[in-house]
Amino acid sequence: MMWIYLFLGIYGLAMTFILLYSFAQANLLWHFFRFKKNEVPEASIFDPTLPKVTVQLPVFNEKYVVQRLIDAVCRLEYPSDKLEIQILDDSTDETSDLIRAALPNYPALPIHHLQREERTGFKAGALKAGLAASSGELLAIFDADFVPDPKFLLKTVPHFTDKEIGMVQSRWGHLNENYSLFTRLQAFALDAHFMVEQMGRNAQHAFINFNGTGGIWRKSCILDAGDWEADTLTEDLDLSYRAQQKGWKFLYRPDVVSPAELPPVMSAIKSQQFRWTKGGAECAVKHLKQVVKGPFPLAVKIHATAHLLNSLLFLAILLVSLSSLPVWWGFYQGLIPAEFFKAAALFLVGFVLIAAVYFFANLQLAGYSRKGFLRYLWELPVFLSVSMGLSVHNGQAVWEGLTGIKSPFIRTPKYNVTGKEKGWFGNAYHLQNVPLTAYVEGVLALFFLLVVGLSVYTGTYEMILFHAMLASGFGMVSLASFRSIGRPASG
């Protein structure tokens, strides 16, 4: 009997964490509606007072997208005498040759192809080395799969007339969101972050984060914050918190869109998710105590806590999922009073709040159209199911981040797939290994499917929807993981 209440306690604590997080999200949604545009008059390319800008392009083995990146960056509208382009090339394959071959096509632009002897510190190390060699007062950063707006600099640079502004972040767009179900679901999640979360935090002057790309920094801000550091897997989030703790202000421009490629296959999605999730947990260990003790308003501390701990949602989901089995059994056997289950209905409030966040984020981008509303109706349950299905993989990442287990920076492969006509088979960078978690996900999918069947057989329907979503989520993630093995990569 006692063990049933132990699992009921775990279930309740994990659901309470999710509920509290949903309250923080609801507050962001409120401030999302109160967000005031951060727009300023666009700069003129003929303005003699424009500061010098260094555009940094960190690249590592990106032969499929590097030409597109260079072409896009060279279309940036800005005086050439006040522009410096750094290609921070750590490549070990033919990418470096492709870069060298492309540079003569742009003789009028100051493009510097910088290569390090050792890839120390990975992306953070490359950015730090580039910073030391840069001549710009401002530094714009774009990852290899991005295609920046030609007017990006003219729209963002004017903000830096305010000497307290340290960074301006743009909104990510998606080059291939309609490529597959999984690219749609990634866009669904990212749009909620870039609409409700970034706008909601910025509206109340809470901590926001540089998203690793599609943003522009003041050089002195980076140096004042201690420069790039490679002790976490999310060097962008780490530097963001160090800079804002120093008093620098960040601005978010949702109207400036920087399109990028979404990972089209589960192995690449998991690689990216693992890095983001583990890095978020590492940053929580590194910064949470300082932020809570710092001289910041209570609302800022609360949102910073929710922000830094949001990766723990996957651990909470995993605990809820596993503990729900003995809880369900306890209700079926009459070992847990029905009043407990009725009280648990309170947790549905959290679901409603989370659903509202995704509703308004995605519907606003869709112009509140009928088509966007109908798409939301099927995307939300599928997204929630897949998020649950990723809880084993991402839960491992969170645990490693919290306990200090180190792992190398594994970048997400880029495929340059933007339409149905192009596939990812044969990509030289494609990750062929299937992680152990894929097998665990498959077993859990079968187990929860069995529980759904037992629920129908016994007439205990209280948790059947939740268990059905878990079965489908774990099943989809596991199956997609095995299917992403693909064909052998061609050189």
Side-chain angles (χ1 to χ4, degrees):
M1 183 68 175
M2 289 302 298
W3 65 273
I4 288 290
Y5 282 101
L6 173 63
F7 283 110
L8 183 62
I10 294 173
Y11 180 88
L13 287 174
M15 287 297 290
T16 299
F17 176 84
I18 295 172
L19 180 63
L20 292 175
Y21 179 80
S22 71
F23 287 153
Q25 293 294 94
N27 183 264
L28 291 179
L29 181 61
W30 169 255
H31 286 280
F32 158 75
F33 290 117
R34 302 179 65 189
F35 180 84
K36 296 180 180 179
K37 293 182 180 180
N38 285 326
E39 296 178 25
V40 293
E42 184 179 304
S44 168
I45 195 172
F46 302 107
D47 185 350
T49 65
L50 287 175
K52 186 166 186 179
V53 176
T54 297
V55 179
Q56 295 184 312
L57 312 175
V59 171
F60 174 69
N61 293 354
E62 304 288 6
K63 65 179 181 179
Y64 299 109
V65 295
V66 70
Q67 182 66 62
R68 182 181 68 186
L69 172 68
I70 295 173
D71 290 342
V73 170
C74 289
R75 288 195 295 269
L76 288 172
E77 297 178 16
Y78 209 73
S80 58
D81 62 327
K82 295 187 176 181
L83 183 66
E84 174 187 48
I85 300 173
Q86 290 182 335
I87 304 178
L88 309 176
D89 180 21
D90 284 347
S91 300
T92 57
D93 67 356
E94 61 265 42
T95 300
S96 299
D97 294 331
L98 292 173
I99 294 171
R100 282 189 283 270
L103 297 189
N105 297 326
Y106 304 98
L109 293 174
I111 306 176
H112 306 298
H113 184 194
L114 306 179
Q115 294 178 282
R116 300 187 295 163
E117 293 184 1
E118 295 184 8
R119 195 175 169 231
T120 307
F122 305 103
K123 181 181 176 180
L127 291 171
K128 186 173 184 177
L131 181 72
S134 66
S135 59
E137 178 184 337
L138 306 177
L139 297 104
I141 301 172
F142 296 101
D143 280 351
D145 55 330
F146 273 68
V147 182
D149 177 356
K151 292 185 177 294
F152 176 88
L153 296 178
L154 297 181
K155 292 177 179 179
T156 57
V157 165
H159 288 289
F160 291 93
T161 55
D162 181 346
K163 298 302 182 182
E164 294 184 328
I165 297 296
M167 192 278 300
V168 178
Q169 174 68 49
S170 67
R171 175 167 63 87
W172 290 8
H174 317 296
L175 295 170
N176 61 334
E177 66 177 291
N178 294 317
Y179 178 79
S180 70
L181 170 64
F182 289 114
T183 55
R184 262 306 312 156
L185 295 181
Q186 290 174 83
F188 186 79
L190 286 170
D191 288 343
H193 167 69
F194 281 99
M195 294 299 290
V196 172
E197 293 183 348
Q198 290 286 62
M199 290 172 67
R201 291 187 185 116
N202 208 204
Q204 54 187 313
H205 308 293
F207 285 50
I208 68 169
N209 60 295
F210 168 58
N211 292 104
T213 175
I216 179 169
W217 286 82
R218 190 187 299 274
K219 184 176 184 177
S220 58
C221 171
I222 297 176
L223 294 174
D224 182 52
D227 212 336
W228 296 100
E229 295 179 358
D231 56 343
T232 73
L233 292 181
T234 46
E235 72 292 323
D236 45 5
L237 180 62
D238 171 41
L239 182 60
S240 297
Y241 267 78
R242 285 189 280 121
Q244 287 168 104
Q245 287 181 78
K246 283 277 191 175
W248 290 95
K249 294 181 181 178
F250 284 14
L251 277 179
Y252 177 57
R253 287 288 301 270
D255 59 305
V256 180
V257 183
S258 298
E261 176 185 322
L262 295 163
V265 63
M266 184 54 70
S267 59
I269 294 171
K270 280 189 167 181
S271 172
Q272 186 180 73
Q273 285 285 310
F274 192 91
R275 189 176 70 249
W276 287 354
T277 307
K278 182 175 180 177
E282 290 174 330
C283 285
V285 173
K286 185 174 181 178
H287 295 293
L288 184 56
K289 184 177 179 180
Q290 292 175 311
V291 171
V292 170
K293 288 186 174 182
F296 308 108
L298 180 60
V300 171
K301 293 182 179 181
I302 290 173
H303 281 296
T305 300
H307 189 188
L308 289 169
L309 295 181
N310 63 6
S311 61
L312 269 67
L313 277 174
F314 290 104
L315 271 183
I317 291 170
L318 185 59
L319 289 173
V320 167
S321 303
L322 298 179
S323 61
S324 71
L325 296 171
V327 169
W328 167 79
W329 178 255
F331 282 122
Y332 171 60
Q333 294 293 326
L335 301 175
I336 300 176
E339 287 72 18
F340 279 89
F341 191 83
K342 293 177 181 178
L346 172 65
F347 296 127
L348 291 176
V349 174
F351 170 78
V352 173
L353 294 176
I354 294 295
V357 167
Y358 286 99
F359 176 83
F360 287 106
N362 284 272
L363 265 292
Q364 176 152 318
L365 287 175
Y368 293 95
S369 65
R370 180 173 177 271
K371 180 180 178 181
F373 176 73
L374 293 175
R375 188 167 69 177
Y376 168 83
L377 291 180
W378 70 261
E379 281 182 335
L380 178 65
V382 177
F383 167 74
L384 292 176
S385 295
V386 171
S387 297
M388 294 175 186
L390 283 167
S391 62
V392 172
H393 178 268
N394 288 357
Q396 176 190 350
V398 174
W399 180 255
E400 290 187 10
L402 293 177
T403 57
I405 299 174
K406 294 298 180 182
S407 57
F409 184 103
I410 300 176
R411 66 103 162 104
T412 306
K414 311 302 188 302
Y415 295 83
N416 195 9
V417 290
T418 56
K420 295 290 185 182
E421 75 284 353
K422 302 182 76 173
W424 49 266
F425 292 109
N427 184 290
Y429 311 130
H430 184 68
L431 303 172
Q432 293 287 334
N433 62 308
V434 177
L436 178 62
T437 53
Y439 295 91
V440 177
E441 291 153 2
V443 171
L444 288 174
L446 295 175
F447 197 79
F448 280 107
L449 185 61
L450 175 63
V451 173
V452 170
L454 288 173
S455 298
V456 174
Y457 180 74
T458 59
T460 51
Y461 300 108
E462 290 84 358
M463 289 187 169
I464 193 170
L465 178 59
F466 179 54
H467 288 154
M469 293 177 70
L470 286 168
S472 61
F474 282 123
M476 291 172 66
V477 172
S478 178
L479 180 61
S481 298
F482 285 103
R483 292 187 63 186
S484 69
I485 297 176
R487 301 171 187 167
S490 59

